[in-house]
Amino acid sequence: MIFEYIDENLNRIIQNPSSVLYLRPFSIGKKEALFAIVKEENGVYKKVQITKEISKLIFPIEPIFHFYNGPGRCFLNNFMTFNNYIALNISYLDGFKTMQLDNYIYNIGIFATFNDGSATFVKREKIKSFEKQGELTPYINQLKQFKDYEPQYKNYNIIESHKVDDETFVIPELQNQEKRELKKSII
């Protein structure tokens, strides 16, 4: 087993998988760990560490695969994975968006969008390979296998851009409104 789990946090997400937006690794200094982003309330998200930190040199390139082969087998039934690096909760997933990035080689950023108006980064692509693959069509087709595809918003707020502290992200635009006006926000 490559991961050593933090039992309290692992039990928290396994007992309430509907509160988890997505799973992905984050850096902790020179180490990495697998985290769950949990929706606490409108516009408030918590980063819950579910594995102990491992050196970046030996951290697996497919952390979701290792989580699935461990305690995540039943947990990930309602999740869509990409490159076994990020797992997105289908219940919250709204669709996908792109953004032009400043990076010279990988200049297209692909973001997963959620039905509350938030979003998270999924991966970077070269523009030529992105266009050759059919742009967002493969992502949307994969989502359509699980549910109807009807994006709710034109623009979204990136969760990681609204960091309050090491564990909390707050998006005031989403927090202060019961129901957001459609077709309005940031990405």
Side-chain angles (χ1 to χ4, degrees):
M1 179 186 288
I2 194 151
F3 286 130
E4 191 175 337
Y5 294 93
I6 301 170
D7 292 334
E8 178 183 328
N9 293 346
L10 181 63
N11 290 335
R12 175 181 172 190
I13 66 157
I14 287 178
Q15 290 172 3
N16 193 6
S18 63
S19 68
V20 177
L21 281 176
Y22 57 93
L23 301 168
R24 80 156 359 123
F26 284 96
S27 294
I28 304 171
K30 294 183 178 186
K31 296 183 177 187
E32 274 192 76
L34 186 61
F35 286 82
I37 300 298
V38 176
K39 183 176 180 178
E40 296 281 310
E41 59 186 70
N42 285 344
V44 179
Y45 310 89
K46 292 282 185 181
K47 188 165 79 169
V48 178
Q49 184 176 345
I50 55 177
T51 67
K52 293 190 177 173
E53 306 93 51
I54 301 173
S55 168
K56 288 182 181 183
L57 297 174
I58 59 172
F59 192 83
I61 59 171
E62 298 177 326
I64 301 302
F65 172 78
H66 293 283
F67 179 67
Y68 179 79
N69 286 327
R73 183 170 301 274
C74 295
F75 177 80
L76 290 174
N77 287 340
N78 198 33
F79 283 74
M80 191 168 142
T81 64
F82 291 95
N83 299 337
N84 280 307
Y85 189 77
I86 184 170
L88 307 165
N89 190 333
I90 298 296
S91 302
Y92 289 110
L93 192 57
D94 191 37
F96 299 93
K97 287 276 198 185
T98 60
M99 185 188 315
Q100 190 74 33
L101 302 175
D102 294 334
N103 188 316
Y104 177 70
I105 296 172
Y106 294 97
N107 46 6
I108 296 291
I110 301 168
F111 292 81
T113 58
F114 300 103
N115 59 15
D116 66 348
S118 63
T120 191
F121 174 78
V122 173
K123 66 186 274 188
R124 284 184 292 244
E125 290 273 349
K126 295 179 182 178
I127 194 157
K128 287 186 180 188
S129 63
F130 180 68
E131 289 170 347
K132 195 176 200 179
Q133 294 171 24
E135 299 183 353
L136 287 177
T137 304
Y139 299 92
I140 293 167
N141 288 343
Q142 189 176 355
L143 178 58
K144 284 180 179 178
Q145 293 175 4
F146 297 98
K147 68 186 221 176
D148 292 335
Y149 173 69
E150 284 190 43
Q152 294 185 26
Y153 302 101
K154 181 179 177 188
N155 300 305
Y156 297 82
N157 291 281
I158 301 169
I159 293 172
E160 292 83 2
S161 308
H162 293 83
K163 188 174 184 177
V164 173
D165 58 38
D166 287 340
E167 298 176 357
T168 308
F169 303 97
V170 176
I171 303 173
E173 294 90 353
L174 303 180
Q175 186 181 29
N176 296 331
Q177 297 177 14
E178 280 281 321
K179 188 170 183 173
R180 245 178 93 201
E181 184 180 322
L182 294 179
K183 309 289 181 195
K184 185 177 177 186
S185 193
I186 293 178
I187 288 184

